[in-house]
Amino acid sequence: MTVRLSRIQLALFFILLCPVNIIGLWWAVGSPLVMDPNSICRKAKRLAGKQAELCQTQPEIVSEVAKGARLGVRECQYQFRYRRWNCTSHNKYFGKILQQDIRETAFVYAITAAGVTHAVTQACSMGDLLQCGCEATRNRAPPRPPSSSSSSSSSSSSSSSGDGVKWEWGGCGDDVEFGYEKSKQFMDAKRRRGKSDIRTLVDLHNNEAGRLAVKLYMRTECKCHGLSGSCTLRTCWKKMPHFREVGDRLLERFNGASKVMGGNDGKTLIPVGQNIKPPDKQDLIYSDESPDFCLANRKTGSLGTRGRICNSTAMDISGCDLLCCERGYREETMVFEENCLCRFHWCCVVQCKKCLVRKELSLCH
Ligand SMILES: *[C@@H]1O[C@H](CO)[C@@H](O)[C@H](O)[C@H]1NC(C)=O
Ligand SMILES: *[C@@H]1O[C@H](CO)[C@@H](O)[C@H](O)[C@H]1NC(C)=O
């Protein structure tokens, strides 16, 4: 398998992942850097002339790619909020996660590739990009009424269900194909020198799994038209899944991730262990076991769990025993400011008071 890429993509990928890990950096400083393609592009000039060219010709896409990567990282932090590794990093530590080939690496790759697919597609639908827009539905088979089993095999662009309601494609469908292609172009760049082929295959597989978690789960939304709600015509369009749903789905794949190793030819991946069914395109794969993330470790990028908030009554991964790696925990009373006594004023203001709320928290030793 060969992955041919232009130097532009290579350079962009280089910028996204190393040596200054921008994804990590964005998060770590919470800066608007990600919103600003110019800073990316300024750095780009130092790396390759062609990168600067991409920045000049398609700065909007670069910007959406960056937004998408950030969307992915935010979702990663939500999904991993109760885990020992919580998808947090100081810039260089996040880089360490990406340099390994563990489950967590797989998740980060998948969720960022999914984020880019989602953000670019969303930008198309919003009319923010000149290169794309709503999905073209001219040649598509007519929609099927979601609740009806009537088959519609005609090739016209509308169909009728048994009750005489006419259906057609309309509205603004999400052009996920465009976002999918851009994510592929930007995220599947050939990996850094010194990376083995196997790792490259694994990363590319996980990127694709992430994109598919968006692309294969499009839903159909419809709207009724007709006099006084009579619904004589329904128009329908395709929408992407909510990104939370994408995150949930990828977390399931993370939990069921398959361990693989390289075949003798250096070009194939084979599942490790006997009688294990080969992973399909939507599964996440990895080749090395994760560290336990209990203690801070520069080499693995683990920040350790000291000081993390745990749940002393939960028996699952958020419970203190597991999260604190059996080092124990201390109780602490903390005071938070919250909105309270909110009142709705006609129309349309909500006024709240600020209250101080005490909370008992358990913190890992
Ligand atoms: C994640 O964990 C680190 C330490 O392990 C902590 O400093 C950080 O606040 C946590 N982040 C979130 C979002 O909980
Ligand atoms: C702690 O865990 C218990 C049991 O799983 C759960 O009911 C409770 O909501 C959790 N508390 C917090 C603050 O998450």
Side-chain angles (χ1 to χ4, degrees):
M1 170 176 181
T2 53
V3 186
R4 299 207 44 199
L5 289 148
S6 69
R7 286 187 33 213
I8 308 171
Q9 293 152 3
L10 203 72
L12 190 89
F13 199 63
F14 187 72
I15 288 172
L16 281 175
L17 296 181
C18 35
V20 187
N21 181 339
I22 294 208
I23 294 179
L25 195 68
W26 286 331
W27 191 83
V29 293
S31 81
L33 185 58
V34 69
M35 307 295 289
D36 174 18
N38 291 328
S39 0
I40 302 172
C41 290
R42 229 176 290 130
K43 282 191 202 295
K45 267 181 215 147
R46 258 185 278 143
L47 286 161
K50 282 205 170 184
Q51 170 67 38
E53 186 185 307
L54 179 73
C55 281
Q56 274 158 21
T57 56
Q58 298 189 52
E60 322 83 351
I61 303 259
V62 175
S63 163
E64 295 305 331
V65 166
K67 267 188 216 167
R70 198 180 57 159
L71 174 68
V73 172
R74 270 204 312 266
E75 183 62 23
C76 178
Q77 280 165 1
Y78 172 81
Q79 296 291 346
F80 282 75
R81 65 202 182 285
Y82 298 133
R83 295 182 181 245
R84 287 179 187 167
W85 180 70
N86 64 3
C87 203
T88 303
S89 58
H90 302 315
N91 45 30
K92 45 179 200 259
Y93 287 65
F94 210 74
K96 282 287 189 285
I97 292 291
L98 293 179
Q99 282 161 25
Q100 300 173 71
D101 200 5
I102 55 181
R103 279 168 193 257
E104 286 77 9
T105 322
F107 189 86
V108 172
Y109 274 101
I111 198 85
T112 43
V116 170
T117 305
H118 207 274
V120 172
T121 304
Q122 191 70 40
C124 294
S125 295
M126 301 294 284
D128 291 343
L129 293 172
L130 291 174
Q131 296 92 330
C132 58
C134 301
E135 188 198 28
T137 50
R138 236 170 291 121
N139 299 317
R140 187 194 280 166
R144 265 162 210 249
S147 57
S148 150
S149 58
S150 76
S151 69
S152 49
S153 54
S154 77
S155 59
S156 78
S157 64
S158 66
S159 68
S160 292
S161 56
D163 52 11
V165 180
K166 225 175 141 226
W167 304 79
E168 47 181 58
W169 291 113
C172 178
D174 286 334
D175 186 4
V176 75
E177 208 54 55
F178 186 88
Y180 174 87
E181 288 304 328
K182 284 293 164 197
S183 173
K184 216 171 184 159
Q185 195 183 347
F186 282 80
M187 307 306 275
D188 282 7
K190 189 155 168 50
R191 300 298 306 279
R192 222 154 37 120
R193 343 167 234 1
K195 284 273 182 176
S196 72
D197 279 351
I198 295 307
R199 263 199 206 174
T200 304
L201 288 180
V202 168
D203 294 344
L204 292 178
H205 176 103
N206 291 323
N207 281 351
E208 180 67 7
R211 287 188 290 267
L212 291 179
V214 179
K215 185 175 139 160
L216 297 182
Y217 296 89
M218 302 294 284
R219 58 206 157 83
T220 303
E221 279 182 359
C222 297
K223 187 182 171 194
C224 269
H225 306 275
L227 285 176
S228 52
S230 61
C231 201
T232 47
L233 174 67
R234 290 194 117 187
T235 49
C236 302
W237 55 89
K238 293 278 186 195
K239 276 282 161 219
M240 289 184 292
H242 296 297
F243 203 65
R244 176 55 34 85
E245 209 183 293
V246 174
D248 291 345
R249 195 165 282 127
L250 287 176
L251 187 69
E252 273 170 35
R253 302 281 172 176
F254 171 87
N255 288 326
S258 311
K259 189 169 183 182
V260 297
M261 61 180 197
N264 285 335
D265 60 359
K267 292 187 187 108
T268 46
L269 298 172
I270 45 183
V272 173
Q274 259 143 25
N275 302 323
I276 294 180
K277 92 170 169 61
D280 69 28
K281 278 175 179 283
Q282 295 185 64
D283 286 322
L284 296 188
I285 58 174
Y286 65 97
S287 66
D288 294 325
E289 295 298 338
S290 303
D292 62 19
F293 292 108
C294 282
L295 300 173
N297 181 333
R298 283 177 174 278
K299 235 169 106 187
T300 59
S302 167
L303 294 172
T305 63
R306 196 189 152 91
R308 286 282 300 278
I309 296 169
C310 60
N311 183 335
S312 55
T313 56
M315 304 301 287
D316 62 3
I317 46 163
S318 69
C320 293
D321 286 350
L322 279 177
L323 190 66
C324 308
C325 305
E326 314 210 327
R327 292 187 306 264
Y329 59 93
R330 63 176 195 276
E331 302 282 356
E332 213 166 89
T333 307
M334 291 202 182
V335 180
F336 298 90
E337 201 178 64
E338 280 185 358
N339 286 331
C340 60
L341 303 170
C342 293
R343 290 210 348 231
F344 179 76
H345 293 279
W346 184 265
C347 181
C348 299
V349 214
V350 178
Q351 278 185 332
C352 297
K353 291 209 156 78
K354 295 278 180 209
C355 298
L356 294 181
V357 185
R358 279 166 195 286
K359 279 188 187 158
E360 281 288 321
L361 292 181
S362 311
L363 302 172
C364 289
H365 279 311

